[in-house]
Amino acid sequence: AAAAAAAAAAAASPSPPVDLETRLYVLRRLATVRVKQARGAPLADGLDDFYVCSLSSRTVVYKGQLKPDQVVPYFPDLQQDTFTAYLSLVHSRFSTNTFPSWDRAQPLRMMGHNGEINTLKGNANWMLAREGMIDVADALGISPDLQRELTPTIEGGLSDSGAFDSVLELLVRGGGRSLAEAVMMMIPEAWQNNPAMDPARRSFYEFNSAVMEPWDGPALVTFTDGLQVGATLDRNGLRPGRFYVTKSGRIVMASEVGVVDIAPEDVAQKGRLRPGQILMVDFEKGTVLQDADMKAQIAAKHPYGEWVSKQVIELEDVVRTAPLAARAVPVINGASASPDSGVVGALAPLRAAGFTREGLDMILLPMVATGSEPLGSMGNDAPLAVMSEIPKLSFEYLKQMFAQVTNPPIDPIREAVVTSLECMVGPEGDLVRTSETDAHRLRLRSPLLTVTQMEALKALGSNGDGAGGSADSGGGTPGLGWTSRTLDATFALAEGSGGLEAALDRLVAEASAAVADGVACLVLSDRAQAPDRVAVSSLLAVGAVHHHLVRVMERTRVAVLCESAEARDVHHFCALTGYGADGVCPYLAADAVARLRADNLVDNAPGADAPLSAEALVATYFKAVEYGMLKVFAKMGISTLASYKGAQIFEALGLDSDVVGKCFRGTASRVEGVGFAQLASDAMQLHAMGYPPRAMAADGAAETTTLRNAGEFHWRGDKDGVPTERHLNDPRAIQHLQAAARGNSPAEFRSYADITDALNQGCNLRGMLRFNSDRPPVAVEAVEPATAIVRRFCTGAMSYGSISLEAHATLARAMNRMGGKSNTGEGGENVARLVPGPDGANNPERSAIKQVASGRFGVTAHYLTNADEIQIKMAQGAKPGEGGELPGAKVQGDIAVTRMSTPGVGLISPPPHHDIYSIEDLAQLIHDCKNSNPAARVSVKLVSENGVGTIAAGVVKGRADHVLISGHDGGTGASRWTGIKSAGLPWELGLAETQQTLVANDLRGRTVLQTDGQLKTGRDLLVATLLGAEEWGLSTAPLMTMGCIMMRKCHKNTCPVGIATQDPELRAKFAGHEDDVVNFFFLLAEDLRAHMAALGYTSVDELVGRSDLMEPDPDILGARDKLQGIDLARILIPSASIRPGAAVRNVTTQDHGLEFALDNAIIAAAEPALARGERVVFESQIENVNRTVGTMVSHEVTKVYGADGLPDGTITCKLAGSAGQSLGAFMCKGVSLEVTGDANDYVGKGLSGGEITVFPPAACTFRAEDAIIVGNVALYGATSGRAFFRGVAAERFCVRNSGASAVVEGVGDHGCEYMTGGNVIILGPTGRNFAAGMSGGVAYVYDPDGAFPANCNMELVDLDPLVTDEDEALVHGLVSEHGKRTGSTVAAAVLGDWFAAKRAFVKVYPRDYKRVIEAQREAAAFAAAEAAEGDGAFKRLVAMSSLADTVAAAVASVTKEANSEAVVEPVHAPSRPTRLDAPGKGRGFVEYEREALGFRDAAERLLDWNEVARHDPAAETSALLATQSARCMDCGTPFCHQTHSGCPLGNKIPEWNELVHQGRWRDALDRLHETNNFPEFTGRVCPAPCEGSCTLGIIDNPVTIKSIECTIIDRGFAEGWVVPRPPAVRTGKAVAVIGSGPAGLAAADQLNKAGHWVTVYERSDRVGGLMMYGVPNMKADKIDIVQRRVDILAAEGISFVTSAHVGQEGHPSIAELRDASDAVVLALGATKPRDLPVPNRDLHGVHYAMEFLHANTKSLLDSDLRDGNYIDAKGKKVIVIGGGDTGTDCIGTSLRHGCESVVNFELMTQPPDVRAPGNEWPQWPRVFRVDYGHEEAAVRDGQDPRAYEVLTKEFIPAADGSGAVAGVKTVGVQWITDPATGRVRFEEVAGSEKVWEADLVLLAMGFLGPEQHLAEKLGMETDERSNFKAEFGEFETSVPGVFAAGDCRRGQSLVVWAISEGRGAAAKVDAFLMGDPQECAVDDPGACATPASNKQMGAPVAR
C-alpha cells in the first residue's frame, strides 16, 4: 500500500520528462518515506525490516548475510542458465565496523565498497547542512514539497558505504553528473601537492574542493549504473585493485589476481589501480576508458581554472585590502598593551584561559623552538577530566578516535604528499548544480589565523569605516561581497553557573540571525572576557553554533571562525575544527609567544645574536600545530582538513547528554558526566584565577607574578589549599612499592596498594566501582595459589632500545622464572638471548612474547620460531594510531644491529597501513604469524575506543588466539604529548565492550582476553577480571620495582637509573634485580587472592566476565558535583545475560586451517633437506588460496638449523599460477620459491634469507616490464634474502627493507619507504614519494629518461651516479642474475649496452647511512695504517688529517658497536667539574660533581659569632650555581618536592633550579616565594630533607638544593627585589596570632597578604621565636636575617606585640584576644623540654639546652655578652646529652665560649656512612654526618666530640658539697632487634660503666609539646601527646575560630614544617573568614564582596 501511494504521488507530481531510472530512484526513496510516515517513525531514522535492495531497469542486486558459496544456491534465478549479464559486481567480506545486517551487505544500489569512510560523521553533517541549498525538484521531476519530504538524503542507520551510495546516487540522478565525475568529486586524487598533474584536472579538483569535502578513508570503490562500471582507489592507494584485460574481450578487476582462471595466452594486459585512479568500462561505447583521457574530458566540461582564478577569495587579498585600522592588533583585556612586559604582563588572561607555567615550558616553548610538538614519555597517569579536582577546559572531556584494523592510520610524515590543510570556507552553492559562483569562497591555506588575519576578516564589509566587526555591520568590500559579524562568546559573571548555557542559546540565535542577514563570515570571539565577564568555552561555542546551523540547514551559508584565548595545543585545534570551526585565531597563545620572547626564553636564531621576530616565532608555532594536526588526522586515516572538519572524530568522556546534544551531537558519551552547570563552574574557577574576586597578595608579590603549575604533565604536590593534579604514580606509592619489592614485604605492599587504590578513586573509572558479592567470604587459603595466578601476568611491550638491555633481560628472567610472559616490544631481540641452554631448555633471557609491529624491527623467521606468543601490535595505549619513536641517541651499537638500522639515526615506526588496511589483511597477518610458528598463539593488540568490541569481534573471526585491549594511559618510551594525553579511552570501557560483544556473537570462547594500562594493585586486576580479562599486562609497576622513579625522560636517553637509556654510563647505574620483579608479582597475586577471598570465589576463571559483582560506589560518586552525573551501567552489563549459554571466557582454540596449507606437501617433500641437508626440488600448481607459501617449511628449517638456515637453494619450490597473499613470508635461508605466473600482496613479507623469483609464463605476449607481477607491499620488513621480479611491483615496494636484495622492473608509489638496509634495483619507472624516510641501504634506479628525481622524496637521501667499482659490480651482478632467473628482456638490454646503461643508473643513497659507511671505511683505513706502520705513524697520520675528529669518532663508534654486549662499566672522568661558565643541562647530573657553598674555615669562624656558612658574592658563585643547578634533572616525579619525605613546603625545586641555570634569578626568587615565606630561614637552618629525597641521590650525590635556595633569597635582598608590599585592600577582619616563631610569622604573613589586620603576640622581648632565640647567631644572624624579615612584615602592616605572655597575669588574656579578633591562631611551638629523670638531676650546672642557647643569644644581642647574663661555658668541661641540631648548636656555642672540652652523648648507634637496609631512598638518610659544631670540635680538639651508645645513669655532685655537678655516670648499651616483632631495644653492656668529668651538662633531648595553660583556659582538646588537637579541617581546633599551627599542633619538627603549618593554617583561617573563594566565585559572585567584621578594630598600631 505504501509503495502504491508512493507511486501515485510520484506520478501526480509535476515534472519534466525524466528517464525511467530516475523515476524509479524517486519511487524507491519515497516508498521508504511513506512507510516511516505510516508507522509514525522519524524520517531521519532507519528501518530494520524495510529495505529496497534495488529498483532499477538496468541492474539487480542480490545480497544477504551469506558466504560466497551460499549466494547462488540461495537465489534460484542465479541458478538458471538462461540468466545472463554483461557485468557482475561481487562483494564479499565480513562486517567489522558495524554489526552485520541484511541491508548493510554489499553491493549497494550503485556501488560496492571495500574500505572505510573515516570522515562519515562530517560528511553526513555537511550533507544535511547542504539539504537547504540543494534543488533537485526539476532534475527528479518532483515538486519542491516532495523534495523536502525526501530529506535527508542520508537516512539514519546507514553504514559508511550506505551513506556514500546515497550521495553518489543523488549526484548522478539529481545532479546530472556522470558516474566518473561524481566519484571524482567524492574521492578526489591527492592534487594539492602534485605539481605533475595536468593543470585542467587540477583546476577541476580545486574548483570542486569549494563544492564538497572529500569522503576520505581507505577505499576500493566499485560502481555501476548498468551502462558503465568502474572502480577507483582512494588517494593513498590503501586497497589492492588488480585487473586483467583479455584478448577475448573481457576485463576482470578484483582485490587480487587468480579470482578467475584465465589462460596466459589470452591475457592482453595486467594492471592495477593506482592511488586516485579510475578504471572505467563503458558498455554503450564498448570501450575501456583510460583514466587520463576520461578525466581530461570531465575537466574540460567547464573553464574551472578560469572560475577559480576569478572567484576564489585569497586570505592575503583580504588582509591587503583591509583598512589599516582594521589590521591593528587589539589589546587583550587584562594584559599590558605591549608584549615587551613579558608573561607577567598578561597573567590575568593567561590564568583565566587555563594557561600554566608547565604548559608554556613543556608545550608552547618547544613548539616555538623546534616547529614540532614536543615528546613525552611514560604515559598518562593523571585523572580523567571528569574526575579531576582542578578546573578543566572542555577540550579535555574529548578523546580522539583513531583507526585500527578495519581502517589504517596513515603516515603524515613520510607520505605528506597526500595531505593538505587547505580549505575553502564560506557560503556554498547548490551541490547538484555547477556554477562559476560555486568557487566564490575564501581559501584558507591553514585553519590557524594570525591576529592580523582575523582582524581583517572581522572587518569584512566595513568599507573602511571600521564597523565590519560589529553585530550590525553591513555593506560589502568591493570585489568580495562578503560581510562579517562578531558574536560575543562571553557571559556576565553575575549570571553565575546558568550563564554558560544561556550564552550558548544566545549565540545560536545570533548565528541564525546573521545568516538571515546575509552575513558570510561569523566570528565567535571571547575577547570580551574581563573581570565581570567569563569566556564561553570556545569548543562549546563552536560546537553549539555549528550543530545548530547544520540542523536548520544553514551551515553551508556561512564561515564560522573562532577567536579563542583558550586554544593553544594540537588537541584544541583538532577539536575546534573537528566540530566545525573553519578557522581559529589563538590570539592569546600568539601573544604569549611574543611575551616569552620578551622574557628571553626563546633561543637566538641560528647564526644570530637575537631570536627570530615575534611574527616569525608565531609562524613556527603555527607550523608545529599544523604538523601535529596532520598527525592527528592521519591517526584516523584522514588526509585533509576538508575531510576532518566537522567529522567529530572524538568520543566524549564525562559529558552528559544535554551537553553532547547541544554541542557535540552524534558524539558517543558512554558514561554521561558533567552538565553545563559543572562546566560553567570550571570556567568560573579559571576566571577567578585570572580575575580574583579579591586580591590575595599585593602587586609585585610572588603570587601576582607567576603562573600556576598545575602538575598536569609532571607530578607536583598541592599545598596550602592550591590543588594540583593527582597522579597515579605518586611519590609515596613509588616509595612503598620499591620497598615492598626489595624486601618482599607484604606490609609495604599493603601501604602501596592502599595509596594507589585511594588515588584510583580520583583518577579513573574503576575507582568509582565497589564490589558487591553474591557469596560469603572464604579463607584466603581456599583461593587458587599465587603460583597459578602469576602465570597470567605479562609485562608490556617495552622494546629493547626504548629500555636498556639490562632492564629488558631482567624482566625476561623474572617472567620466565615464574611462568609469566615478557614481551620483546617492537625492537626485536638479541640473537644471543634465543640460544637454548646446554640442556635444551629455553634461554632464561628469552622473551616469550615476540611482537610484530609496523616497524618490523628485527622480525625474522628465527625470532618468530622462538616465540610462545606472537603479538601483532595494531596500536599502543599511550599513542594509539601513531607509530612509536626511538630517538637517534638510543639507536646505538647492538640496538641498531638488532633493529637492522643505521646507528645514530632516529627510528619512527610507520603506522600499520602498509600491510594492514582492512580486517582481511589483519586476518592474513594472523595467518602468516601462525604459519611462522604453529605452536605459538597469535595475539592482536588493540586500544580501547568506542567500537573496539566490534573490531575485536572481527579480529577473533580472523582467528586471533588472543586479544589485548590496552587502555589509553599506558606508558611509552617516546610519543607526542597530544597522543599521550588526548587519544584513546580507558581500558574499562574497551574491555567491557569487547567482552560483551564477543559474548553476543558467541566468539568469546575462541580467544583469550587480556588488558593493560596502569594496572597496579590486586583491586585493579579484579576489576579487569570481572570485566572480562583472563590475563593482565603490566609495564610501569615492574619498571618501578627495578628502580624507575617516573623521571619521564625516557625519550631523552637520560634515565638516571639505567632503565630507559642506552647511555653506557647510565646503564651502569642499573641496580634492578629479577628477585624484586618476582617479589612484586607474587605480592600482587596475593593482593588479588585476598580480594577474591573477600568475594567468596576461589578461582580466577569463575570471576571472568562477572561484572554483576560490581556496582557504582555512591560514596565516590556523591563526593563531588562533577561525578554525580556519571552512569557506569553500560560497562556493568553482565555478559552472560547478553547471550545465555554462550561462553564468557576462553574454552576452546581457534581453527587456523593449517592442515590445508600447501606447505604441508612441501615439508613432506623436504624431509631429506630437514633431516640431512640434502637438496630437494618441489613442483606444483599454485592458486590464490595457497597463502603464505614457504613459511611453515621455513619454521621447520629454523627449528633445526637456527638463524643460519640452510645453504641457498637447498629446498627449491617451482610453482605455476597465481600465488596467494604473503608468498614467501618470513622465509628463511635455504628455501627458494620460483613462481611462473604472478602473485598478490605481501610477497616476501619479512623475508629472512630465502629467495623468491616471479616471472610471467612464456605463453604471455604482453610486455612483462609494463605488467604488474606482484602486488602491494612486497618485501615489507625483509631482513635478508633475495628477490627477482620480472615486471612491475605495485605500491609500497620494499618498505622497511633492512637487508634483502631485490630486482624489479618498476614500482608504484612509496617505494623503499622507511628502508634501513639492503640493496634494491629498479629497472623501470617509479611512482611518487620514492625513498621517503629511507635511512639505510641503497637503491639503484635505472632512469634513462631522467624522470626519477621528480618522484623521489629528497628529505633524507642524495642522488649519486654509479661511479664506484663496488657499485658497478653489485648492480651488474644482480641484473645479470635477474636476467638468468627470469629471462628479463630489460636485463638483457641493460647488460647488452652496459657502458651506456650504467650511466643511466641513479644511486639513491641515504645521507646518514652514507656518513656512517664512509666513516667506517675511513676508520678501517686508518686502522690498517696503524697495523702497517705502527702506533706512532698512525698517530702522526691522524694528527695530520683534516678528518682527525671524524675518524676518532668513527673508531669510537665502531669500537662501541663491536663491544656493545660487553659488561657496561661506569665511565667516570678522573675528576668531574663543579663549576663551569656555560654548563649544559641535559646530562649535567652525570657530567658535574656536587659542590655546596659550605662553611667558612673552622679555625676562623670559632673566633666570632658570625654565620658559619659562606655567603660569597653573586659574581663569585654564578658559575658554581649554574653548574650545580644543571645537576637537577627536572624530574617528572620530583621526590624533593613532595611533602612526605621531601620538602614539607612543597617548594618547586626543579623549577627554581632551572631558572637559576638560565640566570633568571628574579624569576627564581618569585618561584621560591610562591611556597616559602622565609627562604632565608630555611636556607640556613633546614637540614634539607629535599636533598635526602633528591632522585639524583639514588646514583650520585644529590643536588645542592639548600645552597641554591639560600643564594636565591640572599641575592634577592642584595638586588633590592625583596621590599615591603602592603596589601592594597583590607578586608576589615582581624586575626590574632600568638607566637612569632616560623609558624606564627608564616601565618601572619599569609593572612596579611590576604588583606586581614594581623597582630602577632610574642612573649619574648624580640620577635622571631625559635629563629630569634632558639637558633644561635652563627646559623642565622639575628639582625641581618631575622630582624630584617620582621621589619619587612611590620612595614607591610603586621602589628607585633612583644613581652606579651598571653594568658598570664598582667598580660592580655585569651578571652580578650578572642573578643577583639575574628580568628585566633595559636603558634606556640613545642616548648616543654624533655627531661632526664636520673639521680641528682637538680644539681647546679645541669641545664636544658634552650636555657643555654636563649640566654646566650639574648646577651649577645643586648651587650655582645658583656652583661654576663648567660650560662658561660668558658673553661668548663661540657657534656651535651642528645644529638640533632640543638646538640650541635650547644657544641658550637660552648666552643666559642672557650670550654675546656666538650663531649656529646648519643644513645643510638653511630650511623653508617651510607644508607643501611631499611633506610632506602627516598627516606631521610640516616647516615653519619659532620655538622659545623662537630667539625669545629675536631679542628680545635683533634677529635669528633660524639660518643655513641651511651646511656646516662646519674649526675655526680661535686665533692665540695656546693651542689654543683662534677660528672656524669654512664653505661654503654647495645641495640638488639626482636626477631619476632622486628622492634629494636637496647640492653646495657655489663662492665661498661664510666664516669665523665663535667662542669656543665646541657640536655638537648627534644621537646614534649606545648605548654597547656592556654588550652586549659580555652577548654580546647589535646591529643595523646598533649599537642593541640586540630583535626577539624586540619588546623581548626575544637574551639570555633581558634586555629593551631606548627609544633604545638604536630609536635616537635623542623623550621620548614613550621612555615608549612603556618601557611596551611592561614589558608583555613581565610576560608573561615571569607568563605571558599572558588565556591563564591561560582555560586554567587556577589558573595565575594568583603564581609564586614564583627570586631571593632581598626588598623593595629605596632607595639
Side-chain angles (χ1 to χ4, degrees), residues 749-1032:
F749 189 88
R750 186 71 266 139
S751 297
Y752 154 74
D754 288 345
I755 291 169
T756 304
D757 288 340
L759 287 167
N760 269 327
Q761 292 177 352
C763 284
N764 47 48
L765 297 181
R766 60 187 175 277
M768 293 187 279
L769 297 170
R770 70 181 183 187
F771 303 123
N772 180 27
S773 185
D774 56 356
R775 296 183 185 178
V778 298
V780 173
E781 292 75 15
V783 178
E784 69 175 289
T787 52
I789 291 173
V790 295
R791 293 178 177 275
R792 296 176 181 264
F793 289 128
C794 305
T795 54
M798 296 170 283
S799 68
Y800 170 42
S802 68
I803 63 176
S804 66
L805 176 64
E806 294 78 11
H808 205 269
T810 299
L811 286 174
R813 288 195 302 272
M815 300 310 288
N816 287 332
R817 233 171 80 181
M818 63 188 196
K821 296 183 181 70
S822 66
N823 192 318
T824 60
E826 63 170 296
E829 190 158 67
N830 188 292
V831 175
R833 292 170 61 183
L834 305 180
V835 177
D839 60 352
N842 284 334
N843 190 310
E845 294 187 353
R846 166 189 176 272
S847 298
I849 303 173
K850 299 293 193 291
Q851 194 174 74
V852 176
S854 59
R856 293 294 194 270
F857 300 119
V859 178
T860 66
H862 188 232
Y863 171 85
L864 296 172
T865 290
N866 281 277
D868 299 329
E869 176 178 310
I870 299 172
Q871 183 182 83
I872 299 169
K873 176 183 175 183
M874 288 306 308
Q876 180 169 321
K879 51 190 180 195
E882 60 181 301
E885 301 189 33
L886 189 68
K890 285 189 170 185
V891 187
Q892 301 175 0
D894 187 61
I895 305 293
V897 173
T898 301
R899 292 188 175 225
M900 301 171 184
S901 62
T902 305
V905 179
L907 297 173
I908 300 175
S909 300
H913 65 321
H914 297 295
D915 70 336
I916 302 174
Y917 32 75
S918 72
I919 184 61
E920 292 88 353
D921 303 300
L922 177 61
Q924 178 62 46
L925 183 55
I926 292 170
H927 188 68
D928 298 339
C929 291
K930 196 67 178 179
N931 275 263
S932 74
N933 185 344
R937 70 179 185 182
V938 180
S939 171
V940 176
K941 181 176 184 179
L942 305 174
V943 176
S944 175
E945 66 172 330
N946 188 35
V948 73
T950 310
I951 292 169
V955 168
V956 177
K957 291 177 189 176
R959 295 185 171 80
D961 303 305
H962 180 274
V963 175
L964 166 59
I965 303 295
S966 282
H968 68 113
D969 49 3
T972 175
S975 183
R976 306 291 167 179
W977 274 113
T978 295
I980 294 174
K981 285 286 189 181
S982 305
L985 276 298
W987 58 257
E988 295 94 324
L989 288 171
L991 179 61
E993 181 188 344
T994 299
Q995 172 75 9
Q996 293 166 16
T997 307
L998 292 179
V999 172
N1001 287 272
D1002 199 14
L1003 295 168
R1004 182 63 181 86
R1006 291 162 51 179
T1007 196
V1008 175
L1009 200 53
Q1010 179 185 324
T1011 197
D1012 68 17
Q1014 299 293 346
L1015 297 175
K1016 296 182 179 299
T1017 70
R1019 185 182 186 280
D1020 291 343
L1021 303 184
L1022 182 54
V1023 172
T1025 304
L1026 296 175
L1027 291 178
E1030 291 148 300
E1031 294 181 352
W1032 318 283

Side-chain angles (χ1 to χ4, degrees), residues 1330-1331 1334-1335 1352-1359 1404-1407:
F1330 189 90
M1334 181 179 177
S1335 61
C1352 187
N1353 185 317
M1354 302 295 294
E1355 180 185 8
L1356 300 181
V1357 300
D1358 291 330
L1359 302 184
V1404 185
Y1405 205 1
R1407 283 187 285 275

Side-chain angles (χ1 to χ4, degrees), residues 378 734 738 742 802-808 810 1036 1038-1050 1053-1073 1485-1486 1529 1531 1535 1590-1596 1817:
M378 289 309 292
I734 296 172
Q738 293 183 344
R742 289 167 186 164
S802 68
I803 63 176
S804 66
L805 176 64
E806 294 78 11
H808 205 269
T810 299
T1036 305
L1039 289 182
M1040 288 178 180
T1041 67
M1042 296 192 299
C1044 171
I1045 32 75
M1046 290 300 289
M1047 279 289 297
R1048 297 187 184 272
K1049 296 291 184 291
C1050 315
N1053 202 34
T1054 56
C1055 173
V1057 292
I1059 293 176
T1061 180
Q1062 302 308 324
D1063 185 316
E1065 190 167 357
L1066 295 176
R1067 282 173 57 191
K1069 311 283 188 184
F1070 179 75
H1073 197 279
F1485 66 97
V1486 178
M1529 299 183 286
C1531 305
F1535 282 74
C1590 172
T1591 302
L1592 184 53
I1594 302 172
I1595 60 167
D1596 207 332
W1817 174 91

Side-chain angles (χ1 to χ4, degrees), residues 631-689:
K631 192 164 186 179
V632 173
F633 300 174
K635 285 194 291 190
M636 194 60 201
I638 296 173
S639 305
T640 68
L641 172 65
S643 298
Y644 186 84
K645 192 197 305 177
Q648 52 196 72
I649 314 287
F650 298 88
E651 177 168 356
L653 183 58
L655 293 177
D656 75 11
S657 299
D658 291 341
V659 175
V660 172
K662 185 184 289 283
C663 304
F664 311 119
R665 188 179 183 88
T667 300
S669 183
R670 290 181 280 175
V671 297
E672 290 293 310
V674 300
F676 286 112
Q678 288 85 7
L679 292 172
S681 170
D682 275 8
M684 296 173 75
Q685 287 182 51
L686 287 171
H687 182 270
M689 292 178 184

Side-chain angles (χ1 to χ4, degrees), residues 92-237:
S92 169
R93 67 187 304 226
F94 56 89
S95 179
T96 50
N97 60 335
T98 56
F99 281 112
S101 65
W102 189 284
D103 57 296
R104 289 184 175 131
Q106 295 197 41
L108 301 168
R109 283 123 182 179
M110 292 192 82
M111 54 84 78
H113 172 218
N114 176 20
E116 184 139 358
I117 303 299
N118 296 326
T119 53
L120 175 63
K121 287 183 181 176
N123 296 130
N125 281 339
W126 288 115
M127 195 62 208
L128 177 62
R130 292 185 181 108
E131 302 277 7
M133 300 284 290
I134 291 174
D135 181 3
V136 291
D138 290 343
L140 299 183
I142 58 176
S143 68
D145 289 341
L146 194 54
Q147 179 185 331
R148 281 189 288 274
E149 282 196 79
L150 296 180
T151 303
T153 300
I154 301 174
E155 293 180 48
L158 291 180
S159 66
D160 56 342
S161 304
F164 185 99
D165 186 62
S166 298
V167 176
L168 180 65
E169 277 194 301
L170 179 71
L171 291 174
V172 173
R173 304 297 179 207
R177 289 179 170 87
S178 68
L179 261 179
E181 182 179 356
V183 169
M184 288 173 68
M185 287 180 62
M186 296 181 73
I187 309 178
E189 296 177 75
W191 58 273
Q192 290 95 334
N193 301 314
N194 187 0
M197 181 176 285
D198 172 63
R201 191 195 307 182
R202 180 185 179 89
S203 295
F204 169 86
Y205 287 127
E206 188 174 8
F207 173 85
N208 280 289
S209 71
V211 176
M212 173 181 269
E213 74 291 340
W215 290 61
D216 203 4
L220 168 61
V221 176
T222 54
F223 45 86
T224 183
D225 60 0
L227 301 179
Q228 294 180 321
V229 65
T232 189
L233 283 185
D234 63 276
R235 62 172 52 210
N236 288 288

Side-chain angles (χ1 to χ4, degrees), residues 35-42:
V35 170
K36 292 177 183 178
Q37 290 172 340
R39 296 181 178 182

